[in-house]
Every structure is written in structure tokens, then in C-alpha cells.
Amino acid sequence: MSDRPVPQPGILTIAPYVPGRSSAPGKMAGDTIKLSANESPLGASPKAIAAVKAAAEKLEIYPEGSSRELRAALGEVHGLDPERIVVGAGSDEVLHLLAQTYIGDGDEAVMSQYGFMVYPIITRAAGGTPVVAPETDYCADVDAILAAVTRKTKIVFLANPNNPTGTYLDAEALDRLHAGLPANVLLVIDSAYAEYVTAPDYGVGISLVERSENVVMVRTFSKMGLAAARVGWLYGPAHLVDAVNRIRGPFNVSVLGQVAAEAATRDVAFTRALREHNDKWRVWLSAEIGSNRLRVLPSQGNFILVLFDDADMAKAANGALLERGLVVREMGGYGIANGLRISIGSEGAMRAVAATLKDFMESK
């Protein structure tokens, strides 16, 4: 018998999630440009801000337990059945709920090599074992994922587009992945960056959910200007929604989060402006950096991944950016020590990044 409470087996083997830095050493907040967290370059929807201000007058009232009005808005804008939507405190909570519902001791979850770092955390927390499928040139490989599936597999996690690489599987590849899975394996399509995708062959996952019993699509408002509000959602088959709602907390999304997300959902003009700004400066920054002897992976997210010759060069480049108050994300935690992930920000921020990396490479 222990002389203190003991965590469940496997909990202490989990490597805690480490977010990117938010400030530059020696710099005042006003002298720092944060490009490490894939946040909205245009702030939040003005309509969402107004909704939060109005709701702040009623902070003594509990939230509506099922986020009914938000689910209705999502249904109207995306053409979905609101009864098949579950809302959570960020997509992180939604992913946790899926893992808790479908993974147990001895089970496995398959994920791609450079997938979102939360997937192994929630798998281990539920008592399962993460199984990593190798990628091909920093892109999820359908055949490798299918080869990793065993009788113990309960979930396949796929970020599409993927964070931190920005690469994606097109709709045809997504269909092929699903077709190769056993009926009892849940395919979780994490479409966190869907609002920023411009590729014409991309499939967000809705049609696959509509015609399947083992597919769920997960989305978030964090990349759309509401990172502080912590709101995410899923769209899935009725049986999955019923199961997840049985363990979801009754007031898991705050009033402020619900009203902000509802207003942001309906503000399609702001979402369009975000996508257009991102597309313009993602293309521009990729070309500018790529012309300086650096490899930039083709991205469909609101960020790019820049690959240097080696880890030492990436570290030195990061130091040069920090010196100018430009905070980006180091990729050692993802196993890409020679990479830096750079969020798409304002025009001024993008020009500053490009100029800094140009000066850095000319000094080499």
C-alpha cells in the first residue's frame, strides 16, 4: 500500500504538452510579435466581441447545457443536423471525450508520424497505446496508416490539414483510408484548419460522416479568432453523439464561449476575410522564404513549416528571429528539430520574418 494517492497506470509516462513560447527573451510585450500558436491574424469577429460584451451582463446564469443555439447556428451555416453535433471546451476536450469513450486498457490508437501532439496524450490517458504510422515526405501515408491497424485498434486520428506540417490528404485519399478500415475502428478527422484550406480537392469530412457509422469530424474556433474562448465541436453519427454526451460535462462550454462562437459562425464575411488574408500571405511568405535556399512545405493551414539544413541552423535562425522580437514555434518536440513553424500574421509581421531570414541566410 502506498503512503499517498497513486495515479492510474500509464499517467506518469505521458509527456506533458508543451506550448510554444509567447515572448522573446529580453523584449517588452509591445516589441514582440507572436507567430507561434497559429492564432487569427485579424483578431476576432467584431460580432463575436459584441456578443461577449452583451453576455457579460448575465454572468450569474448557468450556460445552456447542450450549447443548443450554437449547434443550431453550425447546422444552418454548414448544412448539418444540429442533433449530431457535440460542443466542447476547445477541440482538445472533444478529442479527450472521444478517447475516453472508445479507448480502454490494452487498446491502440493509430496516428501519423508528425500528427498533433495531443493524440498520444489522450490515448495514454484513456489506458491505450499510441501507434505511430510513418509519413511520406511529411505527409500522412494512407497505406502506412492501414498497415498499422490491428485487432487492438479502436481509433485512427488524422489531422487534415496536419499541424505542424500543413500537408493534407485529398478527398479521394481520405475515402481510400476509410474504405480500408474495419467497421469497428473510428476514424477521427481533425479538421481544425478547414477554414483556411484553398485546395480544390480537399474534403473536410462532412460527406464521409454522412454516409458512414465510424467517422467523426472535429473542428475548432481557436484558429478563427476565438482561442481565448475555448470552443470546439464534432459532427458524427447519432450513436457516437449519444455515447459522448453521456460523459460530457453538463455545463462544459461557458456562456461567453457559446455566444462568441455562435456569432463567429454566422459572420461568414469575417471567416472569408480570414481565409483570403491567409491565402495571400501564406503564398507570399512561402515564396519569399523558399527563394532563400530554404525548404517550405506546401501548407493548407494558417502557418508554414520551414526546414533548415540541420537542427543547429534552425536553432540559430530561431535566435535571429527572437532577436527581432519575432516568436515562432520550434519543432523539436515533434521530432522535426531542423524545422520552424511560422504562423501567418499581419503584413508587417510577414515582411519582417522574410527580411530576417533573408539576412540570416546571407550571413551563412
Side-chain angles (χ1 to χ4, degrees), residues 256-299:
L256 302 185
Q258 288 185 30
V259 299
E262 180 188 350
T265 297
R266 297 186 186 282
D267 194 353
V268 294
F270 181 79
T271 301
R272 187 185 311 114
L274 269 178
R275 183 169 55 252
E276 291 173 351
H277 173 96
N278 185 74
D279 183 42
K280 175 180 178 179
W281 292 104
R282 181 179 62 194
V283 171
W284 183 89
L285 186 62
S286 297
E288 288 291 309
I289 293 178
S291 66
N292 289 318
R293 311 193 319 272
L294 296 172
R295 184 184 180 194
V296 180
L297 296 183
S299 174

Side-chain angles (χ1 to χ4, degrees), residues 16-285:
Y17 181 84
V18 179
R21 66 169 78 228
S22 59
S23 61
K27 300 287 185 181
M28 302 293 289
D31 298 324
T32 297
I33 299 175
K34 184 184 176 190
L35 301 168
S36 59
N38 301 340
E39 294 155 336
S40 163
L42 303 182
S45 158
K47 294 181 180 179
I49 294 172
V52 169
K53 290 180 178 178
E57 298 295 327
K58 298 180 179 180
L59 293 182
E60 76 281 7
I61 306 298
Y62 274 109
E64 195 283 318
S66 71
S67 300
R68 182 179 58 244
E69 296 301 320
L70 172 54
R71 290 188 295 109
L74 288 167
E76 291 173 19
V77 172
H78 296 288
L80 308 176
D81 178 0
E83 296 302 313
R84 293 174 61 179
I85 295 173
V86 178
V87 181
S91 61
D92 286 348
E93 188 199 17
V94 173
L95 291 166
H96 270 279
L97 289 171
L98 289 170
Q100 291 167 26
T101 302
Y102 292 100
I103 297 174
D105 291 344
D107 293 334
E108 295 176 349
V110 175
M111 56 211 67
S112 61
Q113 181 178 4
Y114 301 118
F116 187 29
M117 284 198 297
V118 163
Y119 303 152
I121 292 175
I122 60 179
T123 298
R124 292 190 187 280
T129 300
V131 177
V132 177
E135 297 190 2
T136 298
D137 196 23
Y138 298 98
C139 185
D141 185 313
V142 171
D143 293 319
I145 293 173
L146 292 176
V149 173
T150 72
R151 287 181 296 176
K152 295 181 179 180
T153 305
K154 292 298 186 289
I155 291 181
V156 170
F157 289 109
L158 178 73
N160 202 43
N162 185 52
N163 170 30
T165 62
T167 56
Y168 75 104
L169 294 182
D170 62 30
E172 182 179 348
L174 201 59
D175 284 346
R176 187 164 74 86
L177 172 60
H178 174 253
L181 293 176
N184 68 320
V185 174
L186 177 64
L187 175 59
V188 177
I189 303 172
D190 185 352
S191 304
Y193 294 90
E195 281 75 17
Y196 290 103
V197 175
T198 56
D201 59 354
Y202 174 71
V204 71
I206 291 175
S207 63
L208 201 51
V209 173
E210 294 282 9
R211 63 180 189 270
S212 309
E213 291 295 316
N214 64 333
V215 181
V216 60
M217 177 192 68
V218 177
R219 302 279 283 272
T220 182
F221 286 91
S222 294
K223 316 307 174 187
M224 300 168 60
L226 299 183
R230 308 308 302 129
V231 186
W233 57 287
L234 67 76
Y235 183 62
H239 68 85
L240 178 144
V241 168
D242 174 64
V244 170
N245 272 329
R246 291 171 185 268
I247 63 170
R248 179 184 60 81
F251 304 111
N252 62 324
V253 181
S254 71
V255 169
L256 302 185
Q258 288 185 30
V259 299
E262 180 188 350
T265 297
R266 297 186 186 282
D267 194 353
V268 294
F270 181 79
T271 301
R272 187 185 311 114
L274 269 178
R275 183 169 55 252
E276 291 173 351
H277 173 96
N278 185 74
D279 183 42
K280 175 180 178 179
W281 292 104
R282 181 179 62 194
V283 171
W284 183 89
L285 186 62

Side-chain angles (χ1 to χ4, degrees), residues 35 38 114-115 135 137-139 162-167 282 285-287 289-290 294-308 314 328-332 334-344 357:
L35 301 168
N38 301 340
Y114 301 118
E135 297 190 2
D137 196 23
Y138 298 98
C139 185
N162 185 52
N163 170 30
T165 62
T167 56
R282 181 179 62 194
L285 186 62
S286 297
I289 293 178
L294 296 172
R295 184 184 180 194
V296 180
L297 296 183
S299 174
Q300 286 296 315
N302 65 338
F303 58 88
I304 61 172
L305 183 62
V306 184
L307 299 176
F308 296 80
V328 303
R329 182 72 184 267
E330 296 173 277
M331 289 284 102
Y334 276 94
I336 312 175
N338 66 321
L340 295 177
R341 192 191 68 192
I342 305 172
S343 302
I344 302 303
L357 289 181

